[in-house]
């Protein structure tokens, strides 16, 4: 589960990590002082795409709120914005906690090149420190302070890193990424942006997650070919692969692998559609559901919502059977959405638009 920025910052605030003062808004609110307005979409790179706006007057504030609520970023339109106090930023850094899967431990990663260009940074600009079972946080904080050339901040960085690591383990996170971590003109260290991914497999022991976030569980999505014209949605990794093979055998180019998983609900399937619309070459979407644990009616509801909500949705070619398929068929009939009786029939009709 990929938290929105404000949800991630709420989690950090609970762990006593300093985040900017701010509030979540759904429309223009009272303007009190210069602020930064941030589109709350589940993707990064908002700064470059116009999703972060600094406003200094009431007029700027109102215009920016209206713009941002309509601005689609990588296929996502925000439901809310985060309005935060404007920080007087002196420098921006990168700091994250994640899992080193090869070494089976937690690592802290730090870099002086924080901010919007971090993906372009050289890998040797990152300091990587493993977190042992009994971590020496003083040593880690000192090493990070040296690396970032912030000797006066060693104590504060030690504290931030210790709290981040505790927040990471307690919440079963797989990533906490602070980018940027900023040093303000008055020499405070503040988390200006934060991305948190929580491990969906640990959901059963976190009843509090339903309060924390409305974000759907992650779907297993892999882009296969940016020029692929046929997107696929299936339940179960095996069926997803078989569907891709069938597309390939029909001499079409599969765009992606997408397994909606066993417990998929309407929200997670809708998220799957949104991921697909980010692959721009797609001309047809083949949906192949053979439902056991998955419920066809949940998938059908998502299909209907997608056709209503997503503009420029490529045509759908649907084959669906199994649990609750009778309810699903009724829902789809009522919405005038056609299905095929076999995967072969689906792909043959898809070929007419995607060849
Ligand atoms: P992202 O592009 O989605 O990662 O969004 P960020 O929240 O990281 O914001 C992008 C950039 O906007 C940051 O690297 C900062 O340079 C700038 N920014 C964000 N918040 C503030 C702020 O309060 N004050 C100033 N001056 N700049 C900000
Ligand atoms: Mn950022």
């Amino acid at each position: 589960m990929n938290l929105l920025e404000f949800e991630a910052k709420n989690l950090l605030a609970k762990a006593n990590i300093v985040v900017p003062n701010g509030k979540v808004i759904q429309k223009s609110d009272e303007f009190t002082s210069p602020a930064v307005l941030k589109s709350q979409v589940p993707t990064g790179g908002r700064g470059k795409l116009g999703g972060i706006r600094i406003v200094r007057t009431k007029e700027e504030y109102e215009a920016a709120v209206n713009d941002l609520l309509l601005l689609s970023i990588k296929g996502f339109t925000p439901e809310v914005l985060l309005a935060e106090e404007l920080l007087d930023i002196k420098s921006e850094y990168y700091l994250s906690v994640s899992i080193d899967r090869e070494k089976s431990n937690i690592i802290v990663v730090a870099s002086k090149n924080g901010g919007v260009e971090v993906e372009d940074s050289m890998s040797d600009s990152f300091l990587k420190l493993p977190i042992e079972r009994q971590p020496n946080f003083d040593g880690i904080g000192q090493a990070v302070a040296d690396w970032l050339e912030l000797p006066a901040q060693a104590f504060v960085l030690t504290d931030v890193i210790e709290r981040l690591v505790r927040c990471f383990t307690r919440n079963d996170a797989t990533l906490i990424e602070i980018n940027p971590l900023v040093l303000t003109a008055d020499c405070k260290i503040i988390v200006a942006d934060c991305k948190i991914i929580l491990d969906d497999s640990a959901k059963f022991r976190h009843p509090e997650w339903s309060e924390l976030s409305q974000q759907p569980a992650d779907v297993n999505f892999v882009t296969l070919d940016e020029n692929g014209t046929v997107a696929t949605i299936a339940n179960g990794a095996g069926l997803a692969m078989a569907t891709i093979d069938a597309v390939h055998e029909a001499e079409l180019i599969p765009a992606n692998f997408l397994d909606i998983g066993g417990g998929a609900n309407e929200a997670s399937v809708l998220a799957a559609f949104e991921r697909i619309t980010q692959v721009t070459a797609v001309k047809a979407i083949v949906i192949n559901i053979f439902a056991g644990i998955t419920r066809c009616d949940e998938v059908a509801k998502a299909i209907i919502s997608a056709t209503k909500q997503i503009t420029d949705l490529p045509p759908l070619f649907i084959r669906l059977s199994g649990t609750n398929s009778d309810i699903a068929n009724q829902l789809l009939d009522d919405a005038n959405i056609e299905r095929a009786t076999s995967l072969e029939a689906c792909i043959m009709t898809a070929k007419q638009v995607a060849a």
Side-chain angles (χ1 to χ4, degrees), residues 86-224:
L86 197 55
L87 302 172
D88 189 356
I89 298 178
K90 199 160 134 195
S91 37
E92 305 194 6
Y93 306 92
Y94 175 95
L95 180 66
S96 69
V97 184
S98 58
I99 294 169
D100 182 336
R101 290 178 194 274
E102 269 170 34
K103 301 210 176 79
S104 305
N105 58 15
I106 296 173
I107 49 168
V108 167
V109 178
S111 171
K112 267 168 79 170
N113 303 341
V116 296
E117 304 294 345
V118 74
E119 291 91 355
D120 308 332
S121 306
M122 295 297 192
S123 60
D124 61 4
S125 74
F126 293 94
L127 173 72
K128 296 184 183 171
L129 297 170
I131 300 295
E132 315 288 340
R133 273 200 184 275
Q134 303 280 328
N136 167 9
F137 283 111
D138 290 327
I140 294 164
Q142 187 65 54
V144 170
D146 291 345
W147 187 261
L148 303 181
E149 294 179 47
L150 291 172
Q153 303 291 343
F155 184 73
V156 175
L157 286 168
T158 298
D159 194 51
V160 169
I161 293 166
E162 183 164 0
R163 288 176 202 272
L164 282 176
V165 170
R166 294 204 193 292
C167 180
F168 182 91
T169 49
R170 275 193 198 139
N171 290 291
D172 285 308
T174 56
L175 175 70
I176 299 184
E177 185 182 68
I178 315 292
N179 185 32
L181 178 75
V182 304
L183 178 69
T184 59
D186 55 354
C187 292
K188 290 205 180 84
I189 291 282
I190 298 183
V191 169
D193 184 20
C194 178
K195 175 185 170 90
I196 294 183
I197 299 177
L198 301 175
D199 183 352
D200 290 314
S201 309
K203 197 170 182 179
F204 71 96
R205 58 183 177 207
H206 292 283
E208 77 284 5
W209 284 0
S210 61
E211 299 281 309
L212 176 71
S213 173
Q214 310 308 316
Q215 292 303 110
D218 291 334
V219 288
N220 301 309
F221 180 97
V222 182
T223 303
L224 296 176

Side-chain angles (χ1 to χ4, degrees), residues 8 14 19 67 76 117 139 214 233 247 250 259 262 314 333-334 345:
K14 275 197 198 130
V19 296
D67 290 352
F76 299 101
E117 304 294 345
Q214 310 308 316
I233 297 181
V247 169
D259 164 18
D333 278 344
D334 292 347

Side-chain angles (χ1 to χ4, degrees), residues 232 234-248 256-259:
T232 59
N235 64 309
L239 189 64
M241 287 191 278
T243 309
I244 291 165
D245 285 345
V247 169
H248 207 260
N256 71 294
F257 168 95
L258 200 166
D259 164 18

